[in-house]
Amino acid sequence: MGFIFTLPAAIYMLIFIGYPMIQNIILSLKNVDVYSFARPENQVFVGLQNYIDLFTSNNSILVTAIINTLVFTVCSIFFQFIIGFALALLFNKKFPGCSFFRGVTMISWLLPVTVAGLLFKFMFASSGGIINQFLQTLHLIDRPLEWLLQPGTAMVAIVVANIWIGIPFNMMLLITGLTTIPADVYESCSLDGANKFQTLFQITIPMIKPAIMSVLTLGFVYTFKVFDLVWVMTKGGPVNSTELLSTYAYRLSFEEFQFSKGAAAANVLFVILLIAGIFYIKLINEEEEIM
């Protein structure tokens, strides 16, 4: 009976997830471009040559994209978690307007990512951008910075935008974890003379460890595959300084029409996310065994 109930989900996953993945792997093992795409007889099997070319070519953009993706992901997750955790602790308290401000905070998560990308693109614009105006008002800079046109600052701009988008996700999951802590635990801590920091690091954080691990792992998966935000703001430029695995795979497939190499780049992204997914499932299983 259990197999019968899971059969619809299994069929759905095989058709809409399994089949495209298998086809993408097969595509990456061939030499398919705009000339041979519609002619299967001209599609030559090359094995792992596409992967070798991507990793070993001079000034490999794939290696740069992997490094950029890791930097983008780690920086985004670090600040998203810190700020999201602080807001979760704040909104877990009861005070006038708590629900209203919590709802306002969710706006950045509810907005379409492309809209958020356009907003930040205008905010970081060198001419008329509100970021430059604000920094000049504080006399932190003498002249407007070209945020999205300089390799060093372009990455900062997309990281800031992604942090703003992801904070509500971290906040809501952590608030859910905080609500599972019984109130009498905090009462016992206060009676024992524990201060706020002791309560935070010895009670709160250990008791919401499963929620923290879920937030960090899911945040890694969601951030690592970000495409639309970066494409709207910088399209991977300037000089590949914000080129991520997702944007590079898209560029290879739909701008340069090197479909096989684009599939290979996408599979590299898939393997990294698969490892993260296995790690997440392992953590969940370990927590369930402990409970």
Side-chain angles (χ1 to χ4, degrees), residues 55 102 106 213 219:
F55 277 103
R102 184 191 299 181
M106 291 297 298
M213 296 306 300

Side-chain angles (χ1 to χ4, degrees), residues 148-202:
L148 301 179
L149 300 179
Q150 299 294 328
T153 57
M155 178 62 76
V156 174
I158 64 172
V159 167
V160 170
N162 193 64
I163 290 171
W164 183 76
I165 293 172
I167 285 174
F169 172 77
N170 288 258
M171 181 190 73
M172 294 307 298
L173 288 185
L174 292 172
I175 285 178
T176 303
L178 290 172
T179 57
T180 62
I181 303 177
D184 53 1
V185 174
Y186 290 114
E187 293 176 0
S188 300
C189 291
S190 61
L191 291 175
D192 292 337
N195 56 37
K196 296 292 184 182
F197 288 99
Q198 290 174 328
T199 303
L200 174 64
F201 288 103
Q202 298 182 18

